[in-house]
Amino acid sequence: MSQNVDTGKRRFLTAAASVVGGAGAVAVAVPFVSSMLPSAKAQAAGAPVEVDISQLEKGQLITVEWQGKPVWLFRRSDEAIANLASLDSNLVDPDSQLATQQPDYCQNEARSIRDEVMVMVGVCTHLGCSPTYRPELAPEDLGPNWKGGFFCPCHGSRYDLAGRVFLNMPAPKNMLVPPYRFNGDNSVIVGENYEGAA
Ligand code: FES
């Protein structure tokens, strides 16, 4: 990878962090990145996108574009990871049995390769709106049982912090986890499968 690539990505992450930091205690800004490498033309053709997550703080979410879709990468707190199992009885597909919604290597409670880092296509499975990131606990508008997740503003679907949809929502299934793999500790390649996995 060239020096230019690294510099560009560092600039992006710095900008993303400052936007989130200024968003206040409740709302969390979701920066959208349209200029990640490789080129826009290659991306449109479906090329993998490499994302530097070295500065991604717990609770923070960044958005990149892959195959014309927003892909979220966020770092879950230990508490958020621990809370996932407690939600199972309220979810449509807690065990991620619908195979179309994630690669085999993410068919687990956290729907991820590493519990801490979540990678997900940020598109509601109802009619395709982009849900809002709501990581806070028990906000007034989402109720006392809310343990962080995503709320779709179009028709009210709710998802947990693994993208699993709650029961009795307009959305029928969990949000999509794309193929991805880690390239060392601090880099994620969206669009390439985890080594050795189908
Ligand atoms: S598009 Fe998300 S609830 Fe309808």
Side-chain angles (χ1 to χ4, degrees):
M1 186 178 303
S2 74
Q3 189 60 38
N4 288 341
V5 172
D6 285 335
T7 304
K9 280 192 294 197
R10 264 198 303 276
R11 262 201 303 274
F12 151 65
L13 279 166
T14 302
S18 60
V19 170
V20 169
V26 176
V28 177
V30 181
F32 192 91
V33 179
S34 59
S35 58
M36 298 295 289
L37 293 172
S39 70
K41 193 173 168 190
Q43 273 187 44
V49 177
E50 184 162 13
V51 186
D52 182 349
I53 59 166
S54 60
Q55 295 180 55
L56 189 63
E57 307 276 345
K58 285 185 179 177
Q60 189 181 14
L61 180 150
I62 56 175
T63 305
V64 300
E65 183 179 353
W66 172 70
Q67 293 190 344
K69 294 173 251 184
V71 173
W72 296 327
L73 296 96
F74 56 100
R75 201 181 287 280
R76 286 180 287 226
S77 66
D78 294 344
E79 186 181 20
I81 295 165
N83 280 337
L84 291 175
S86 70
L87 299 169
D88 283 2
S89 62
N90 302 317
L91 303 170
V92 170
D93 183 11
D95 300 321
S96 297
Q97 295 196 343
L98 186 59
T100 55
Q101 295 313 101
Q102 65 283 308
D104 289 352
Y105 47 86
C106 291
Q107 193 188 22
N108 51 50
E109 186 82 54
R111 304 185 74 225
S112 57
I113 297 171
R114 295 182 194 161
D115 285 354
E116 193 178 299
V117 178
M118 184 71 201
V119 181
M120 187 159 71
V121 175
V123 175
C124 181
T125 61
H126 181 219
L127 295 176
C129 290
S130 193
T132 305
Y133 182 41
R134 298 295 305 274
E136 66 272 35
L137 294 176
E140 202 171 316
D141 59 331
L142 294 173
N145 296 325
W146 184 257
K147 293 183 170 160
F150 295 85
F151 177 77
C152 185
C154 289
H155 313 99
S157 288
R158 298 175 181 211
Y159 301 84
D160 75 354
L161 283 172
R164 300 178 299 177
V165 68
F166 284 87
L167 291 166
N168 304 314
M169 297 290 144
K173 52 194 177 184
N174 297 341
M175 280 193 275
L176 184 70
V177 177
Y180 71 95
R181 69 179 178 86
F182 285 88
N183 184 23
D185 281 347
N186 289 312
S187 175
V188 173
I189 300 178
V190 179
E192 282 187 5
N193 270 310
Y194 181 54
E195 198 171 314

